[in-house]
Amino acid sequence: MKILNRNIEKLFLISSEYINNILKDEDILNELKESCEERDLKLINKSIVYVLYEKNELYINSFKIEIDIECKEKKIGFYILYLDEDENFIDEFFVIK
């Protein structure tokens, strides 16, 4: 299986780069500050899944990388990144609760 031959840390590193680009947006930072003091914000690597089948064909044979956004040990949001088998961007979702 393709995921077994991947460097998991590298996939999380790639997702960190994408989420850090999102966090440069001033509106998003302001929304996070309302939920949490910025210095208490933690990004927690949650999981990597290799998607073999998905109703949305865009995600078939891709990596789904999930990161939780926590403040004071409470989940306040999450980030999901989809990469193709060559680690190219497919889609992303950034949610603040």
Side-chain angles (χ1 to χ4, degrees):
M1 190 153 208
K2 297 205 181 257
I3 198 166
L4 297 176
N5 296 326
R6 298 291 171 154
N7 181 338
I8 301 301
E9 290 301 318
K10 181 180 178 192
L11 293 174
F12 277 125
L13 181 63
I14 292 169
S15 64
S16 296
E17 292 170 6
Y18 279 101
I19 196 170
N20 283 328
N21 285 332
I22 291 173
L23 294 176
K24 290 178 184 176
D25 183 289
E26 196 169 308
D27 291 333
I28 292 174
L29 278 177
N30 288 335
E31 194 169 337
L32 282 173
K33 286 178 184 178
E34 289 176 13
S35 299
C36 175
E37 294 178 29
E38 188 176 345
R39 65 182 176 272
D40 293 330
L41 188 69
K42 292 182 184 176
L43 302 176
I44 310 295
N45 292 343
K46 183 176 177 184
S47 66
I48 296 178
V49 176
Y50 187 77
V51 181
L52 289 172
Y53 172 78
E54 171 68 43
K55 288 181 183 178
N56 183 341
E57 292 183 11
L58 178 65
Y59 305 127
I60 292 174
N61 296 323
S62 66
F63 294 100
K64 178 182 177 184
I65 303 153
E66 294 187 53
I67 296 177
D68 282 346
I69 303 165
E70 293 185 1
C71 178
K72 299 177 184 173
E73 300 187 28
K74 178 183 172 194
K75 184 176 175 180
I76 63 168
F78 61 91
Y79 176 73
I80 297 175
L81 174 66
Y82 286 93
L83 298 174
D84 68 14
E85 292 179 307
D86 295 322
E87 300 172 359
N88 297 310
F89 178 87
I90 297 175
D91 206 351
E92 67 185 346
F93 301 92
F94 183 85
V95 178
I96 300 171
K97 294 181 177 184

